[in-house]
Amino acid sequence: MASALETVRAAIEWLAASAVADLLAATLIVILGWYLGRLAVRVVGRSVARRFQRPSLTKTVLGAIRGVVMIGAVIAAARVLNFRGTEILLSVTVFSAVLGLVLAPIVGSVINGLFILADQPYEIGDMIELVDRGKQGYVEDITIRYTKIFTLENTFLVIPNANMRERDVINYSAEDTRSRLSLTLLVTYESDIEAARAIMERAARETAEVVEGGPDIRVGSARYPSAPVTYIKEFADHGVLLDLRYWVKEPYYMGRVESKLNERIWDELEGADVEIAYPHSHLVFDETSGTARVEIDRDGPHRSARGESDASD
């Protein structure tokens, strides 16, 4: 009886020691897999970057390589711990079901992230604008789950890719960084219109951030003059509306460029035969207007006038 108990005790001790050894071996395999994943990224990183030439795709591919290596290491560790293939498959199935039921929004963001990486609406480093929020900023990072934007207000926006695909996004950095802006000026009908147009165009050309001229700029199948051009946009109620259209070299600091251009135009309007229009009201009295009686009070410290209008036949 004693020998049997000793045998059982020895077997238990051996199994415990074997389990600890297997656990240590599995842990070492996972650690080795993590290290090999990083090593693989270092080895193939430059080749992948040259192949895809897009930071977002490069980052995603390298992350996938590390993921594959880690999955292989986890499978090897599971075999060391005597997990059977059916158990692993069952675990993956249960995990997938939980993922589908509980983490559906994250799955949706991942799928939309893949579409964003494939469609290439923007890239890391691009300046974009969220039309619905009026926010401008630089794309800091693109993952398969979210897009991180560094705004011009020195804040971060982290937006799930599912929401990004539903938004209207303006990309100011796509292909050609030159962007066309416009500035309107309302001058009186008595002003020298040609002088006003010349002043606006000259002010734009003398602004360093504005394209002075050169070959026409192509946008799709259309071509636009690269030099600043002022058009007569409308004969408005209070004056002639002039529209200056010009191209900036970079889409950054557009507010600063517009301010500098306004300052130049304002300075050059001084002394010119050009007057900025604003609403005027002209009161016309004729034979149909009736008569007005005016009374002057000379007793008070200030003179005051009071008018009345009587309708005449």
Side-chain angles (χ1 to χ4, degrees):
M1 184 66 178
S3 60
L5 292 175
E6 292 178 358
T7 303
V8 172
R9 183 182 302 174
I12 293 174
E13 292 176 353
W14 180 82
L15 289 174
S18 177
V20 172
D22 291 343
L23 182 60
L24 290 176
T27 303
L28 290 176
I29 290 175
V30 172
I31 294 175
L32 181 61
W34 177 81
Y35 176 78
L36 290 178
R38 296 192 60 181
L39 182 61
V41 167
R42 291 182 180 178
V43 171
V44 303
R46 293 184 178 179
S47 300
V48 172
R50 288 194 297 267
R51 172 66 177 83
F52 292 97
Q53 298 181 352
R54 290 184 58 202
S56 57
L57 278 179
T58 301
K59 184 177 179 180
T60 302
V61 171
L62 294 178
I65 292 174
R66 291 187 63 181
V68 169
V69 175
M70 281 300 300
I71 290 174
V74 170
I75 293 175
R79 289 181 177 178
V80 170
L81 295 175
N82 295 322
F83 278 102
R84 292 176 294 179
T86 55
E87 295 176 348
I88 297 175
L89 180 61
L90 179 60
S91 300
V92 172
T93 304
V94 173
F95 177 76
S96 300
V98 173
L99 188 67
L101 293 174
V102 181
L103 304 179
I106 297 179
V107 175
S109 295
V110 170
I111 295 175
N112 283 282
L114 295 176
F115 279 110
I116 289 177
L117 293 173
D119 296 339
Q120 306 178 22
Y122 47 80
E123 185 52 76
I124 295 175
D126 286 354
M127 179 179 179
I128 65 174
E129 178 181 352
L130 304 179
V131 177
D132 59 334
R133 301 185 61 173
K135 290 286 187 179
Q136 295 179 347
Y138 302 94
V139 179
E140 181 75 13
D141 194 10
I142 305 173
T143 70
I144 59 175
R145 294 186 295 109
Y146 61 83
T147 297
K148 183 184 290 186
I149 303 172
F150 189 62
T151 69
L152 300 184
E153 290 81 14
N154 197 27
T155 58
F156 272 118
L157 286 177
V158 180
I159 304 176
N161 289 324
N163 294 338
M164 286 298 296
R165 290 201 69 212
E166 297 175 356
R167 296 175 181 267
D168 292 330
V169 178
I170 299 176
N171 190 340
Y172 292 100
S173 305
E175 298 182 1
D176 193 345
T177 59
R178 293 174 296 184
S179 299
R180 192 175 71 168
L181 302 178
S182 63
L183 184 148
T184 57
L185 180 66
L186 186 66
V187 299
T188 62
Y189 283 100
E190 295 76 19
S191 299
D192 188 341
I193 303 301
E194 291 305 318
R197 296 173 65 178
I199 287 173
M200 297 174 71
E201 294 173 0
R202 181 169 61 253
R205 287 194 299 268
E206 293 176 355
T207 303
E209 295 84 357
V210 176
V211 178
E212 299 180 13
D216 292 345
I217 296 176
R218 181 176 180 179
V219 179
S221 59
R223 293 182 179 274
Y224 299 92
S226 57
V229 180
T230 303
Y231 299 97
I232 298 178
K233 186 175 182 178
E234 181 183 355
F235 295 103
D237 295 335
H238 304 287
V240 181
L241 184 62
L242 303 179
D243 183 17
L244 171 66
R245 299 182 181 181
Y246 61 98
W247 294 83
V248 292
K249 300 175 183 178
E250 300 288 345
Y252 322 114
Y253 315 116
M254 288 188 290
R256 183 187 304 175
V257 176
E258 292 175 347
S259 178
K260 292 173 64 175
L261 183 55
N262 281 323
E263 291 175 3
R264 288 183 178 274
I265 293 176
W266 178 261
D267 292 339
E268 295 197 21
L269 286 178
E270 185 177 358
D273 188 17
V274 178
E275 181 182 1
I276 297 178
Y278 55 91
H280 290 74
S281 296
H282 296 274
L283 302 178
V284 180
F285 293 92
D286 56 18
E287 64 277 1
T288 65
S289 303
T291 60
R293 291 182 296 179
V294 180
E295 180 182 348
I296 300 177
D297 186 3
R298 299 182 179 274
D299 297 334
H302 301 286
R303 294 183 178 181
S304 62
R306 182 178 59 194
E308 297 180 0
S309 179
D310 296 335
S312 63
D313 297 332

